[in-house]
Amino acid sequence: MLSSKNTLLLFKNVRYMSTSKTVGFIGLGNMGAHQAINLIKKGHNLVVFDMSKDNMNKLKEKGAKIANSPSEVAKQADVIVTMLPASAHVKSVYCGENGIFQSVKPGTLLLDSSTIDPATAREVASIAKKHQTTMLDCPVSGGTGGAEAGTLTFMVGGSEQDFNSAKPYLECMGKNIVHCGDVGTGQVAKVCNNLVLGISMIAVSEAMNLGVKQGMDPKKLAGIFNTSSARCWTSELYNPCPGVIETSPASRGYTGGFGSALMTKDLGLAVDSAKSIGEPLLLGNSAHQLYTLLVAKGDGQKDFSVVYDFLNKNFKNSN
Amino acid sequence: MLSSKNTLLLFKNVRYMSTSKTVGFIGLGNMGAHQAINLIKKGHNLVVFDMSKDNMNKLKEKGAKIANSPSEVAKQADVIVTMLPASAHVKSVYCGENGIFQSVKPGTLLLDSSTIDPATAREVASIAKKHQTTMLDCPVSGGTGGAEAGTLTFMVGGSEQDFNSAKPYLECMGKNIVHCGDVGTGQVAKVCNNLVLGISMIAVSEAMNLGVKQGMDPKKLAGIFNTSSARCWTSELYNPCPGVIETSPASRGYTGGFGSALMTKDLGLAVDSAKSIGEPLLLGNSAHQLYTLLVAKGDGQKDFSVVYDFLNKNFKNSN
Amino acid sequence: MLSSKNTLLLFKNVRYMSTSKTVGFIGLGNMGAHQAINLIKKGHNLVVFDMSKDNMNKLKEKGAKIANSPSEVAKQADVIVTMLPASAHVKSVYCGENGIFQSVKPGTLLLDSSTIDPATAREVASIAKKHQTTMLDCPVSGGTGGAEAGTLTFMVGGSEQDFNSAKPYLECMGKNIVHCGDVGTGQVAKVCNNLVLGISMIAVSEAMNLGVKQGMDPKKLAGIFNTSSARCWTSELYNPCPGVIETSPASRGYTGGFGSALMTKDLGLAVDSAKSIGEPLLLGNSAHQLYTLLVAKGDGQKDFSVVYDFLNKNFKNSN
Amino acid sequence: MLSSKNTLLLFKNVRYMSTSKTVGFIGLGNMGAHQAINLIKKGHNLVVFDMSKDNMNKLKEKGAKIANSPSEVAKQADVIVTMLPASAHVKSVYCGENGIFQSVKPGTLLLDSSTIDPATAREVASIAKKHQTTMLDCPVSGGTGGAEAGTLTFMVGGSEQDFNSAKPYLECMGKNIVHCGDVGTGQVAKVCNNLVLGISMIAVSEAMNLGVKQGMDPKKLAGIFNTSSARCWTSELYNPCPGVIETSPASRGYTGGFGSALMTKDLGLAVDSAKSIGEPLLLGNSAHQLYTLLVAKGDGQKDFSVVYDFLNKNFKNSN
């Protein structure tokens, strides 16, 4: 017998399947592969493309159809999801040779879950419009764990109506689907969120280091933060000081998690956005510089909480 | 008939009163006056001193005895609580002419709830030892609201045994009494907490401003932060953008709350601590500079969340 | 009778005229108009284009021929000089519709004296190559004064041979023609020079302000700097404190000179360059932020030494 | 036969000797020992004190008399010169047990050539007044080379009359004796000078690194700086890029010169001064942090131009 929850899921899946839509997926990396699999699990027919044959074959095993180019995907799909590393890739996959726009069908729904600058998001969306298609920016938070579990947060930029059209597809991949406003605001929200996160990590690292170097027990200090005005996600759930939280990247040698290089990229988007509209970003810029130092030093693949290690060990033997 | 809770309170008060200790209190400003009144409410006999006659008279009306100097307080008290603006005042009140150490009785418990640098805290505590007395650093968080309500958090530095002796007195003034470690660590914890807080406020301000200037609705943006990795006390309970939280200082013209000048002072302590032990404090220093700018500009008495206003209005008409 | 110097100039002019080359000039703003006039004065036939009819008419009065587009210039010219505000304009004038490359003659020498990012300079130069033409980056220093007097410094990127071909034309507009290295290095040198300049101005402003606020006479303090290890162009020739140097912008209300907005642009190029190659730029970024503040505050058109005023007056009445 | 210049020097020396003044000297480190020897060379009788017996014995060999304490020096001297590491030492040598003020003769001229904060300089000078003595702050620039050669620059704070009394003694140790203003302004000038110097070094390092990493020849780039608006003492005489100037510390592995730890100390004085008067010091603080990083990393004894190495090698193998 089915529990009410399972019944509900069944109905949801039935509803999707009954529409018989084909979903294209381009960009099958650490995040994208999981997202695509979750779409299949929810009953969608997938046609996929990635630069790597291996990545495509993994999806083929799960039931996806393989295409030779973004353009080939576009010919077959009613909805296309893209998950790409940076603005340049988004431009190329949509507007380039053998790109989506070369053969996209009018009415196709285009959902870009890459993290890119809002200006590019708006620019490509306006080209999409010329092809009688609709493009929304839907960057995510939640990491590879969230991608695999289907619990990502999607920050969506687009009209209310388009958001409602996109929601059922995004719900196959995430559990928190937030409408941020017009096209581009999904990217704005993502960038602003990570701006706070990147600065916050340095703040907690500087304060933990200052306390520990003056004789405080790190768990006691973190405990004070977490019950006082210094409380933040970084301190509570992702503390950069090894041993404070057993499951944090800091407690396993700063492996896994969200790399310094990715944080440098996201803060770079914040810095560029601020620059383009002439707004100062004093701490945001300094934070960007500090992560740039970490990457230059060779710690780009370590979790971004490695900033604590950098401060704590005085750069002497932090590798 | 008494509820069990009231019975308990009654017993506690009885216990205090039965010991018949006289508590000295020096420093009856915005914070200290409330703390002293709470000690009276809990049944203690108080003898007080302040530079201002007016401040003393207000306490006299509540039943306190007035003294002419810290030394006069020390002659009569078994326990002395001090609440002073800065290190120089603490040194003077304890070690100066007509200071506490001139006539303190051996065995007196000295509780300094001022926020000062850990080095001074340790220095004065070591002089206290020579007078056969015990001094603990007990800085607070919670503001004047917490002082009045008796819900302050005390961060206490001293031995386990001394902490236990101090706890009943501190519980008259606060509800969260945390033992941080040896003498000085109370100040360390306070300074580190406010270091995170001061930086965090700028982070949220820069990100809210960047988002709003790019078309995001401020409540929506704050909502995203609060359910994601940018979540922090500043964003959730004290958002610097007017209108996001109805009861925050930002929503009443940045009045009330915790002044920029006080944040500048606390970050100054962090900066000095780091300097004295040769540790870098990259964002901490930049944050200190930004609040210094706000104070120089004339916003020292405004709540420290006024940094959002400074960024948002481009300095043009922010007064 | 001619002095030997005049004779020499005469011969130089004769040599130029004998070659009968037609020089195209695109971008007749504050700098470009003077440069174009100097080319005419040295005997060249000019064909010019600018977005503004007025600007073109002024050159027509001096003897230049007017064209309807960059492409029209390119059809007639053997050498083309461009002087444009930013990278986007350079791309458009060279590669856009009715742009230079639409009709450029093989063998044309292209001299871009705009200040743009090195990557764009290299990109457009490589497109130039495909058209069998040669493009050099030749940004200048010396301001409108130097442009009018023909005493500009040109920082030139290109091969040794191409540099030698360009030199006679550049010598018509400047007196210090420096070969920096391969294509793009002219821009690199310009950006690096202004990076030092922009930081140096803030350094001198902070130090002058700190000294003056502590009772030093500003002229005496500047005198000490200039005979000691703080000596720099900014302090000696362009001191930001009013009255120290009678002829500096600071002594005439920060008018004239080199605007904060232009310094913000140039530091922005440095910041972008560093970002693109993953190099940290700690003070460069902070300096960029400070000028961004000045522009946001409304001081973009004031000389960049206005940073002293900003610090000195505590933002209260600096307009 | 004597040239007029030699005659003048002879007379000067005769004048000094004829007055038969005894000069006390306290602090015979790297700088002080050379200064004391130069006073002996110019014909003065010296009585010296230092914490190190060895340092005193070296001066004894040169003809100085040894004392057991600052107080013993003060009993015998008409003029006392001090050269000490920091404010705490100055306070102790003047005001401490067996200090100068314990036995100083009324009318003694006290010349402190240490680099300390202006507030301490003013405080000790005001105590000196109570002992009917006159104290001037006379910090130096020029390094150990200048100390040995007797070519130091002295920045002097005190009244015009006192400055004139001090000048003949200072001229025995230096060649550029600058009157800065009232007591304390000597320190102000020194600190402001080194503030510009410390920032300027980072500016040149960032710009040289940015240029070199983009393919510029370092000598060519420095040459452009030195003939343009980036010209500064740091670039011209002390370039941080190895090989640009053969005799600079950079060209001999950053040995010799002015250590990062000393620059950190001097910028620390600037930061403290600014803090004490509530003035922002944006780049000054960031520069202080960067040198603090270098010291923490283990480069405190290397010349402060090692900041270039830190940037250039990406922290990977810079030791």
Side-chain angles (χ1 to χ4, degrees), chain B residues 234-312:
Chain B
T234 303
S235 168
E236 278 186 301
L237 302 178
Y238 211 87
N239 202 291
C241 178
V244 169
I245 294 172
E246 292 309 323
T247 56
S248 75
S251 296
R252 51 172 192 264
Y254 301 100
T255 57
F258 186 63
S260 301
L262 284 172
M263 183 48 90
T264 306
K265 179 206 155 193
D266 284 4
L267 289 178
L269 290 173
V271 162
D272 287 346
S273 281
K275 194 159 160 262
S276 72
I277 58 171
E279 290 293 321
L281 207 63
L282 302 169
L283 291 201
N285 260 281
S286 297
H288 179 246
Q289 285 298 305
L290 191 44
Y291 291 110
T292 298
L293 275 186
L294 290 175
V295 174
K297 183 177 163 294
D299 284 348
Q301 299 313 308
K302 292 194 179 170
D303 182 73
F304 76 118
S305 58
V306 74
V307 66
Y308 176 82
D309 192 64
F310 179 74
L311 294 170
N312 184 253

Side-chain angles (χ1 to χ4, degrees), chain A residues 268 272 275 280-281 285 289 293, chain C residues 268 272 275 280-281 285 289 293:
Chain A
D272 286 347
K275 193 158 163 261
L281 208 63
N285 261 278
Q289 285 298 305
L293 274 186
Chain C
D272 286 346
K275 193 159 163 260
L281 207 63
N285 261 281
Q289 285 298 305
L293 275 186

Side-chain angles (χ1 to χ4, degrees), chain A residues 190-202:
Chain A
K190 171 72 189 286
V191 159
C192 290
N193 184 81
N194 282 14
L195 172 60
V196 174
L197 175 62
I199 296 175
S200 172
M201 178 56 83
I202 301 175

